[in-house]
Coordinates of all heavy atoms in Angstrom, one line a residue:
M11 N 73.8 145.4 76.7 CA 74.5 144.2 76.4 C 73.7 143.0 76.7 O 73.1 142.9 77.8 CB 75.8 144.2 77.3 CG 76.7 143.0 77.0 SD 78.2 143.3 77.9 CE 79.3 142.7 76.8
P12 N 73.6 142.0 75.8 CA 72.7 140.8 76.0 C 73.3 139.9 77.1 O 74.5 139.8 77.2 CB 72.6 140.2 74.7 CG 73.8 140.7 73.9 CD 74.2 142.0 74.5
K13 N 72.4 139.3 77.8 CA 72.8 138.4 78.8 C 73.0 137.0 78.2 O 72.3 136.5 77.4 CB 71.7 138.3 79.9 CG 72.1 137.4 81.1 CD 70.9 137.4 82.1 CE 71.3 136.5 83.3 NZ 70.3 136.5 84.3
S14 N 74.1 136.3 78.6 CA 74.4 135.0 78.1 C 73.5 134.0 78.6 O 73.0 134.1 79.7 CB 75.9 134.6 78.4 OG 76.1 134.6 79.8
Q15 N 73.3 132.9 77.9 CA 72.4 131.9 78.3 C 73.1 130.9 79.2 O 74.3 130.7 79.2 CB 72.0 131.1 77.0 CG 71.1 131.9 76.1 CD 70.7 131.1 74.9 OE1 71.1 129.9 74.7 NE2 69.9 131.7 74.1
V16 N 72.3 130.4 80.2 CA 72.8 129.4 81.1 C 72.7 128.0 80.5 O 71.7 127.7 79.9 CB 72.0 129.5 82.4 CG1 72.4 128.5 83.5 CG2 72.0 130.9 83.0
R17 N 73.8 127.3 80.7 CA 73.8 125.9 80.2 C 72.9 125.0 81.1 O 72.9 125.1 82.3 CB 75.2 125.3 80.3 CG 76.1 126.0 79.3 CD 77.5 125.4 79.4 NE 77.5 124.2 78.5 CZ 78.4 123.3 78.4 NH1 79.5 123.5 79.2 NH2 78.4 122.3 77.6
K18 N 72.1 124.2 80.5 CA 71.2 123.3 81.1 C 71.6 121.8 81.0 O 70.8 120.9 81.2 CB 69.8 123.5 80.6 CG 69.3 124.9 80.8 CD 67.9 125.0 80.3 CE 67.4 126.5 80.4 NZ 66.1 126.7 79.8
K19 N 72.9 121.6 80.7 CA 73.4 120.3 80.6 C 73.7 119.7 81.9 O 74.2 120.3 82.8 CB 74.7 120.3 79.7 CG 75.2 119.0 79.3 CD 76.4 119.2 78.3 CE 76.9 117.9 77.9 NZ 78.0 118.0 77.0
K20 N 73.4 118.4 82.1 CA 73.7 117.7 83.3 C 75.1 117.4 83.5 O 75.8 117.2 82.5 CB 72.8 116.5 83.5 CG 71.3 116.7 83.6 CD 70.6 115.4 83.7 CE 69.1 115.6 83.9 NZ 68.4 114.4 84.1
V21 N 75.6 117.3 84.7 CA 76.9 116.9 85.0 C 77.1 115.4 84.8 O 76.3 114.6 85.2 CB 77.3 117.2 86.5 CG1 78.7 116.8 86.8 CG2 77.2 118.7 86.7
Y22 N 78.2 115.1 84.1 CA 78.5 113.6 83.8 C 78.9 112.9 85.0 O 79.8 113.3 85.7 CB 79.6 113.6 82.7 CG 80.0 112.1 82.4 CD1 79.2 111.3 81.6 CD2 81.2 111.6 82.8 CE1 79.5 110.0 81.4 CE2 81.5 110.3 82.6 CZ 80.8 109.6 81.8 OH 81.1 108.3 81.6
T23 N 78.3 111.7 85.2 CA 78.7 110.8 86.2 C 78.9 109.4 85.5 O 78.0 108.9 84.8 CB 77.6 110.6 87.3 OG1 76.4 110.2 86.7 CG2 77.4 111.9 88.1
P24 N 80.1 108.9 85.7 CA 80.4 107.6 85.0 C 79.5 106.5 85.6 O 79.1 106.5 86.8 CB 81.9 107.4 85.3 CG 82.2 108.2 86.5 CD 81.2 109.3 86.5
P25 N 79.3 105.5 84.8 CA 78.5 104.3 85.3 C 79.2 103.5 86.4 O 80.5 103.6 86.4 CB 78.3 103.4 84.0 CG 79.1 104.0 83.0 CD 79.6 105.4 83.4
T26 N 78.5 102.9 87.3 CA 79.1 102.2 88.4 C 79.8 101.0 88.0 O 80.8 100.6 88.7 CB 78.0 101.9 89.4 OG1 77.0 101.0 88.8 CG2 77.4 103.1 90.0
D27 N 79.5 100.3 86.9 CA 80.2 99.1 86.5 C 81.5 99.4 85.9 O 82.4 98.5 85.7 CB 79.4 98.3 85.6 CG 79.0 99.1 84.3 OD1 79.0 100.3 84.3 OD2 78.6 98.4 83.3
V28 N 81.9 100.7 85.5 CA 83.1 101.0 84.9 C 84.1 101.5 85.9 O 85.3 101.5 85.7 CB 82.9 102.1 83.8 CG1 84.1 102.5 83.1 CG2 81.9 101.5 82.7
R29 N 83.7 102.0 87.0 CA 84.5 102.5 88.1 C 85.5 101.5 88.6 O 85.2 100.3 88.7 CB 83.7 103.1 89.2 CG 82.9 104.3 88.9 CD 82.2 104.8 90.1 NE 81.3 105.9 89.8 CZ 80.4 106.3 90.5 NH1 80.2 105.8 91.8 NH2 79.6 107.3 90.1
P30 N 86.8 102.0 88.8 CA 87.8 101.0 89.4 C 87.4 100.5 90.7 O 86.8 101.2 91.6 CB 89.1 101.8 89.4 CG 88.6 103.2 89.4 CD 87.3 103.3 88.7
A31 N 87.7 99.2 91.0 CA 87.3 98.6 92.3 C 88.2 99.1 93.4 O 87.7 99.3 94.5 CB 87.4 97.1 92.2
A32 N 89.5 99.2 93.2 CA 90.4 99.7 94.3 C 90.6 101.2 94.2 O 91.1 101.8 93.3 CB 91.7 99.0 94.2
T33 N 90.0 101.9 95.2 CA 90.2 103.3 95.2 C 91.4 103.7 96.2 O 91.9 102.8 96.9 CB 88.9 104.1 95.8 OG1 88.6 103.5 97.1 CG2 87.7 103.8 94.8
A34 N 91.7 104.9 96.2 CA 92.9 105.4 97.0 C 92.6 105.2 98.5 O 93.5 105.0 99.3 CB 93.2 106.8 96.7
S35 N 91.3 105.2 98.9 CA 91.0 105.1 100.3 C 91.1 103.7 100.8 O 91.3 103.5 102.0 CB 89.6 105.7 100.6 OG 88.7 104.9 99.8
T36 N 91.0 102.7 99.9 CA 91.1 101.3 100.3 C 92.5 100.8 100.4 O 92.8 99.7 100.9 CB 90.3 100.4 99.3 OG1 90.8 100.5 98.1 CG2 88.8 100.8 99.4
R37 N 93.5 101.5 99.8 CA 94.9 101.1 99.9 C 95.4 101.3 101.3 O 95.2 102.3 102.0 CB 95.7 101.9 98.9 CG 95.5 101.6 97.5 CD 96.4 102.4 96.7 NE 96.4 102.0 95.3 CZ 97.1 102.6 94.3 NH1 97.8 103.7 94.6 NH2 97.1 102.1 93.1
K38 N 96.2 100.3 101.7 CA 96.9 100.4 103.0 C 98.1 101.3 102.9 O 98.7 101.3 101.9 CB 97.2 99.0 103.5 CG 96.0 98.2 103.9 CD 96.5 96.9 104.6 CE 96.9 95.9 103.7 NZ 97.3 94.6 104.4
P39 N 98.4 102.0 104.0 CA 99.6 102.8 104.0 C 100.8 101.9 104.0 O 100.8 100.7 104.3 CB 99.5 103.6 105.2 CG 98.6 102.9 106.1 CD 97.6 102.2 105.2
S40 N 102.0 102.5 103.6 CA 103.2 101.8 103.6 C 103.6 101.3 105.0 O 103.4 102.0 106.0 CB 104.3 102.6 103.0 OG 104.0 102.9 101.7
P41 N 104.4 100.2 105.1 CA 104.9 99.9 106.4 C 106.0 100.9 106.8 O 106.6 101.5 106.0 CB 105.5 98.5 106.2 CG 105.6 98.3 104.7 CD 104.6 99.3 104.1
I42 N 106.2 100.9 108.1 CA 107.1 101.9 108.7 C 108.6 101.6 108.3 O 109.4 102.6 108.2 CB 107.0 102.0 110.2 CG1 107.7 103.2 110.8 CG2 107.5 100.7 110.9 CD1 107.0 104.5 110.4
W43 N 108.9 100.4 108.0 CA 110.3 100.1 107.6 C 110.7 100.6 106.2 O 111.9 100.8 106.0 CB 110.5 98.6 107.7 CG 109.7 97.8 106.8 CD1 108.5 97.2 107.0 CD2 110.0 97.5 105.3 NE1 108.0 96.5 105.9 CE2 108.9 96.7 104.9 CE3 111.0 97.9 104.5 CZ2 108.8 96.3 103.5 CZ3 110.9 97.4 103.2 CH2 109.8 96.7 102.7
L44 N 109.7 100.9 105.4 CA 110.0 101.2 104.0 C 110.8 102.6 103.9 O 111.9 102.7 103.3 CB 108.8 101.3 103.2 CG 109.0 101.3 101.6 CD1 108.1 100.3 101.0 CD2 108.8 102.7 101.1
P45 N 110.2 103.7 104.5 CA 111.0 104.9 104.4 C 112.3 104.9 105.2 O 113.3 105.5 104.8 CB 110.0 106.0 104.9 CG 109.0 105.3 105.7 CD 108.9 103.9 105.1
A46 N 112.3 104.1 106.3 CA 113.5 104.0 107.1 C 114.6 103.3 106.3 O 115.8 103.7 106.4 CB 113.2 103.4 108.4
T47 N 114.2 102.3 105.6 CA 115.2 101.5 104.8 C 115.7 102.3 103.7 O 116.9 102.3 103.4 CB 114.6 100.2 104.3 OG1 114.1 99.5 105.4 CG2 115.6 99.4 103.6
A48 N 114.8 103.1 103.1 CA 115.2 103.9 101.9 C 116.2 105.0 102.3 O 117.2 105.3 101.7 CB 114.0 104.5 101.3
V49 N 115.9 105.6 103.4 CA 116.9 106.7 103.9 C 118.2 106.1 104.3 O 119.3 106.6 104.0 CB 116.2 107.4 105.1 CG1 117.2 108.3 105.8 CG2 115.1 108.3 104.7
A50 N 118.2 104.9 105.0 CA 119.4 104.2 105.3 C 120.2 103.8 104.1 O 121.5 104.0 104.1 CB 119.1 102.9 106.1
L51 N 119.6 103.4 103.0 CA 120.3 103.1 101.8 C 120.9 104.3 101.1 O 122.0 104.2 100.6 CB 119.3 102.4 100.8 CG 119.0 100.9 101.0 CD1 117.9 100.4 100.1 CD2 120.3 100.1 100.8
I52 N 120.2 105.4 101.2 CA 120.8 106.7 100.7 C 122.0 107.0 101.4 O 123.1 107.4 100.8 CB 119.7 107.8 100.7 CG1 118.6 107.6 99.7 CG2 120.4 109.1 100.4 CD1 117.5 108.5 99.8
V53 N 121.9 107.0 102.8 CA 123.1 107.3 103.6 C 124.2 106.4 103.4 O 125.4 106.8 103.3 CB 122.6 107.4 105.1 CG1 123.8 107.5 106.0 CG2 121.7 108.5 105.3
V54 N 124.0 105.1 103.3 CA 125.0 104.1 103.1 C 125.6 104.3 101.7 O 126.9 104.2 101.5 CB 124.5 102.7 103.2 CG1 125.4 101.6 102.6 CG2 124.1 102.4 104.7
G55 N 124.8 104.6 100.7 CA 125.4 104.8 99.3 C 126.3 106.0 99.3 O 127.4 106.0 98.7
I56 N 125.8 107.1 99.8 CA 126.6 108.3 99.8 C 127.9 108.1 100.7 O 129.0 108.5 100.3 CB 125.8 109.5 100.3 CG1 124.7 109.9 99.3 CG2 126.7 110.7 100.6 CD1 123.8 110.9 99.8
G57 N 127.7 107.5 101.8 CA 128.9 107.2 102.7 C 129.9 106.3 102.0 O 131.1 106.5 102.1
W58 N 129.5 105.3 101.3 CA 130.3 104.4 100.5 C 131.1 105.2 99.4 O 132.3 105.0 99.3 CB 129.5 103.3 99.8 CG 130.3 102.2 99.3 CD1 131.0 102.2 98.1 CD2 130.4 100.9 99.8 NE1 131.6 101.0 97.9 CE2 131.2 100.1 98.9 CE3 129.9 100.3 101.0 CZ2 131.5 98.8 99.2 CZ3 130.3 98.9 101.2 CH2 131.1 98.3 100.3
L59 N 130.4 106.1 98.7 CA 131.1 106.8 97.7 C 132.1 107.8 98.2 O 133.2 108.0 97.7 CB 130.1 107.5 96.8 CG 129.2 106.6 95.9 CD1 128.2 107.4 95.2 CD2 130.1 105.9 94.9
V60 N 131.7 108.5 99.3 CA 132.6 109.5 99.9 C 133.9 108.8 100.5 O 135.0 109.3 100.3 CB 131.9 110.2 101.0 CG1 132.8 111.0 101.9 CG2 130.8 111.2 100.4
L61 N 133.7 107.6 101.2 CA 134.8 106.9 101.7 C 135.7 106.4 100.5 O 136.9 106.4 100.7 CB 134.3 105.7 102.5 CG 135.4 104.8 103.1 CD1 136.2 105.6 104.1 CD2 134.7 103.6 103.8
Y62 N 135.1 106.0 99.5 CA 135.9 105.5 98.3 C 136.8 106.6 97.7 O 137.9 106.5 97.4 CB 134.9 105.0 97.2 CG 135.6 104.5 96.0 CD1 136.4 103.4 95.9 CD2 135.4 105.2 94.8 CE1 137.0 103.0 94.8 CE2 136.1 104.8 93.6 CZ 136.8 103.7 93.6 OH 137.4 103.3 92.5
Y63 N 136.2 107.8 97.6 CA 136.9 108.9 97.0 C 137.9 109.5 98.0 O 139.1 109.9 97.6 CB 136.0 110.1 96.5 CG 135.5 109.7 95.2 CD1 134.1 109.6 95.0 CD2 136.2 109.7 94.1 CE1 133.5 109.3 93.8 CE2 135.7 109.4 92.8 CZ 134.4 109.2 92.7 OH 133.8 108.9 91.4
L64 N 137.6 109.6 99.2 CA 138.5 110.3 100.2 C 139.7 109.3 100.6 O 140.8 109.8 100.9 CB 137.8 110.6 101.5 CG 136.8 111.8 101.4 CD1 136.2 112.1 102.7 CD2 137.5 113.0 100.8
S65 N 139.5 108.0 100.4 CA 140.6 107.1 100.7 C 141.5 106.8 99.5 O 142.3 106.0 99.5 CB 140.0 105.8 101.3 OG 139.4 105.1 100.2
E66 N 141.2 107.6 98.4 CA 142.0 107.4 97.2 C 141.9 106.0 96.7 O 142.8 105.4 96.3 CB 143.4 107.9 97.3 CG 143.5 109.4 97.7 CD 145.0 109.8 97.9 OE1 145.9 108.9 97.8 OE2 145.2 111.0 98.1
Q67 N 140.7 105.5 96.7 CA 140.3 104.2 96.1 C 140.9 103.0 96.9 O 141.0 101.9 96.3 CB 140.6 104.1 94.6 CG 140.0 105.2 93.8 CD 140.4 105.3 92.4 OE1 141.3 104.5 92.0 NE2 139.9 106.2 91.6
A68 N 141.3 103.2 98.1 CA 141.8 102.1 98.9 C 140.7 101.4 99.8 O 140.8 100.2 100.1 CB 142.9 102.6 99.8
Y69 N 139.7 102.1 100.1 CA 138.6 101.6 100.9 C 137.3 101.8 100.2 O 137.3 102.7 99.3 CB 138.5 102.3 102.3 CG 139.7 102.0 103.2 CD1 140.6 103.0 103.4 CD2 139.9 100.8 103.8 CE1 141.7 102.8 104.2 CE2 141.0 100.5 104.6 CZ 141.9 101.5 104.8 OH 143.0 101.3 105.6
P70 N 136.2 101.2 100.5 CA 135.9 100.2 101.4 C 136.4 98.8 101.0 O 136.8 98.0 101.8 CB 134.4 100.1 101.4 CG 133.9 101.2 100.6 CD 135.0 101.8 99.9
V71 N 136.5 98.4 99.7 CA 137.1 97.2 99.2 C 138.0 97.5 98.1 O 137.6 97.8 97.0 CB 136.0 96.2 98.8 CG1 136.6 94.9 98.4 CG2 134.9 96.0 99.8
A72 N 139.3 97.4 98.4 CA 140.3 97.9 97.4 C 140.3 96.9 96.2 O 140.6 97.4 95.1 CB 141.7 97.9 98.0
S73 N 140.1 95.7 96.4 CA 140.2 94.7 95.2 C 139.0 94.9 94.2 O 139.1 94.5 93.1 CB 140.2 93.3 95.7 OG 139.0 93.0 96.4
W74 N 138.0 95.6 94.6 CA 136.8 95.8 93.7 C 137.1 96.9 92.7 O 136.4 96.9 91.6 CB 135.6 96.1 94.5 CG 135.0 94.9 95.2 CD1 135.5 93.7 95.3 CD2 133.8 95.0 96.0 NE1 134.7 92.9 96.0 CE2 133.6 93.7 96.5 CE3 132.9 95.9 96.4 CZ2 132.6 93.3 97.3 CZ3 131.8 95.6 97.2 CH2 131.7 94.3 97.7
G75 N 138.0 97.8 93.0 CA 138.3 98.9 92.0 C 137.0 99.8 91.8 O 136.4 100.3 92.8
Y76 N 136.7 100.0 90.5 CA 135.6 100.8 90.2 C 134.3 100.2 90.5 O 133.2 100.9 90.4 CB 135.7 101.3 88.8 CG 136.8 102.3 88.5 CD1 138.0 101.9 87.7 CD2 136.8 103.5 89.1 CE1 139.0 102.8 87.5 CE2 137.8 104.4 88.9 CZ 138.9 104.1 88.1 OH 139.9 105.0 87.9
W77 N 134.2 99.0 90.9 CA 132.9 98.4 91.2 C 132.4 99.0 92.5 O 131.2 98.9 92.9 CB 133.0 96.9 91.3 CG 133.0 96.2 90.0 CD1 134.1 95.7 89.4 CD2 131.9 96.1 89.1 NE1 133.8 95.2 88.1 CE2 132.4 95.4 87.9 CE3 130.6 96.4 89.2 CZ2 131.6 95.1 86.9 CZ3 129.8 96.1 88.1 CH2 130.3 95.4 87.0
N78 N 133.3 99.6 93.3 CA 132.8 100.4 94.5 C 131.8 101.5 94.1 O 130.9 101.8 94.8 CB 134.0 101.0 95.2 CG 134.7 99.9 96.0 OD1 134.2 99.2 96.8 ND2 136.0 99.8 95.8
L79 N 132.0 102.1 93.0 CA 131.1 103.1 92.5 C 129.7 102.4 92.2 O 128.7 103.0 92.5 CB 131.6 103.7 91.2 CG 132.9 104.6 91.4 CD1 133.3 105.0 90.0 CD2 132.6 105.7 92.3
A80 N 129.7 101.2 91.6 CA 128.5 100.6 91.3 C 127.7 100.2 92.6 O 126.5 100.3 92.6 CB 128.7 99.3 90.5
V81 N 128.5 99.8 93.7 CA 127.8 99.5 94.9 C 127.2 100.8 95.5 O 126.0 100.8 96.0 CB 128.9 98.9 95.9 CG1 128.2 98.8 97.3 CG2 129.3 97.6 95.4
G82 N 127.9 101.9 95.5 CA 127.4 103.1 96.1 C 126.2 103.6 95.3 O 125.1 104.0 95.9
F83 N 126.3 103.7 94.0 CA 125.1 104.1 93.2 C 124.0 103.1 93.2 O 122.8 103.5 93.2 CB 125.6 104.4 91.8 CG 126.3 105.7 91.6 CD1 127.6 105.8 91.3 CD2 125.7 106.9 91.9 CE1 128.3 106.9 91.1 CE2 126.4 108.2 91.8 CZ 127.7 108.1 91.4
G84 N 124.3 101.8 93.3 CA 123.3 100.8 93.4 C 122.4 101.0 94.6 O 121.2 100.8 94.6
A85 N 123.1 101.3 95.7 CA 122.4 101.5 97.0 C 121.4 102.7 96.8 O 120.3 102.6 97.3 CB 123.3 101.7 98.2
M86 N 121.9 103.8 96.2 CA 121.0 104.9 96.1 C 119.9 104.7 95.1 O 118.8 105.1 95.3 CB 121.9 106.1 95.6 CG 122.8 106.6 96.7 SD 123.6 108.2 96.4 CE 124.7 107.7 95.1
V87 N 120.1 103.9 94.0 CA 119.1 103.6 93.1 C 118.0 102.7 93.7 O 116.8 102.9 93.5 CB 119.7 103.0 91.8 CG1 118.6 102.4 90.9 CG2 120.4 104.0 91.0
S88 N 118.5 101.8 94.5 CA 117.5 100.9 95.2 C 116.7 101.6 96.2 O 115.5 101.3 96.4 CB 118.2 99.7 95.8 OG 119.1 100.2 96.8
S89 N 117.2 102.7 96.8 CA 116.5 103.5 97.7 C 115.4 104.3 96.9 O 114.3 104.5 97.4 CB 117.3 104.5 98.5 OG 117.8 105.5 97.7
L90 N 115.7 104.7 95.7 CA 114.7 105.4 94.9 C 113.6 104.4 94.5 O 112.4 104.8 94.4 CB 115.4 106.0 93.7 CG 116.3 107.2 93.9 CD1 116.9 107.6 92.6 CD2 115.5 108.4 94.5
I91 N 113.9 103.2 94.2 CA 112.9 102.2 93.9 C 112.0 102.0 95.1 O 110.8 101.9 94.9 CB 113.6 100.9 93.4 CG1 114.2 101.2 92.1 CG2 112.6 99.8 93.3 CD1 115.1 100.0 91.6
L92 N 112.6 101.9 96.3 CA 111.7 101.8 97.4 C 110.8 103.0 97.7 O 109.7 102.8 98.0 CB 112.6 101.6 98.7 CG 113.1 100.2 99.0 CD1 114.0 100.1 100.2 CD2 112.0 99.2 99.2
L93 N 111.4 104.2 97.5 CA 110.6 105.4 97.7 C 109.5 105.5 96.7 O 108.5 106.2 96.9 CB 111.5 106.6 97.7 CG 112.4 106.8 98.9 CD1 113.3 108.0 98.8 CD2 111.5 107.0 100.2
S94 N 109.6 104.9 95.5 CA 108.5 105.0 94.5 C 107.4 104.1 94.9 O 106.2 104.3 94.4 CB 109.0 104.5 93.1 OG 109.3 103.1 93.2
R95 N 107.5 103.2 95.8 CA 106.5 102.3 96.4 C 105.8 102.9 97.7 O 104.9 102.3 98.2 CB 107.0 100.9 96.6 CG 107.5 100.3 95.4 CD 108.0 98.9 95.6 NE 108.7 98.4 94.5 CZ 108.1 97.8 93.5 NH1 106.8 97.6 93.5 NH2 108.8 97.3 92.5
W96 N 106.3 104.0 98.1 CA 105.9 104.6 99.4 C 104.6 105.3 99.2 O 104.4 106.1 98.3 CB 106.9 105.6 99.9 CG 106.7 106.1 101.3 CD1 106.0 105.6 102.2 CD2 107.2 107.3 101.8 NE1 106.1 106.4 103.3 CE2 106.8 107.5 103.1 CE3 108.1 108.3 101.2 CZ2 107.1 108.6 103.8 CZ3 108.4 109.4 102.0 CH2 107.9 109.5 103.3
R97 N 103.6 105.1 100.0 CA 102.3 105.8 100.0 C 102.1 106.6 101.2 O 102.4 106.4 102.3 CB 101.1 104.8 99.9 CG 101.1 104.1 98.6 CD 99.9 103.2 98.6 NE 100.3 102.0 98.1 CZ 100.0 100.8 98.5 NH1 99.1 100.7 99.5 NH2 100.5 99.7 98.1

């Protein structure tokens, strides 16, 4: 069986002027409040919705009606936005 030929092509290295200036190692880590706030928003959002359903729409704010759902889901969506910025 014939032996295959070895490639003699050089490995590509991009030019230095094209490389991005900000690398992953130069980015600062997220502040400690970011994940804590995101977890707190998730807990508040779930707690708001659970309280709304278990109280048969009387609590947390009875006059808001179905806007209580928007508040609960809004808190959870805002926590997802915060977690997308977490490094």
Side-chain angles (χ1 to χ4, degrees):
M11 182 171 219
K13 186 177 178 181
S14 62
Q15 295 181 353
V16 179
R17 295 181 81 190
K18 297 179 183 177
K19 190 175 181 181
K20 292 183 179 180
V21 176
Y22 174 75
T23 55
T26 56
D27 58 339
V28 179
R29 291 183 186 166
T33 60
S35 62
T36 60
R37 289 181 167 176
K38 290 193 277 184
S40 297
I42 193 68
W43 61 265
L44 195 136
T47 305
V49 169
L51 280 172
I52 290 173
V53 170
V54 166
I56 291 173
W58 191 284
L59 292 174
V60 167
L61 181 63
Y62 177 69
Y63 279 116
L64 290 181
S65 68
E66 296 178 358
Q67 304 174 356
Y69 294 107
V71 182
S73 64
W74 288 0
Y76 287 113
W77 283 103
N78 284 306
L79 295 174
V81 171
F83 284 115
M86 290 190 290
V87 167
S88 62
S89 71
L90 290 176
I91 292 170
L92 277 178
L93 286 175
S94 70
R95 300 177 189 275
W96 187 26
R97 286 185 230 138

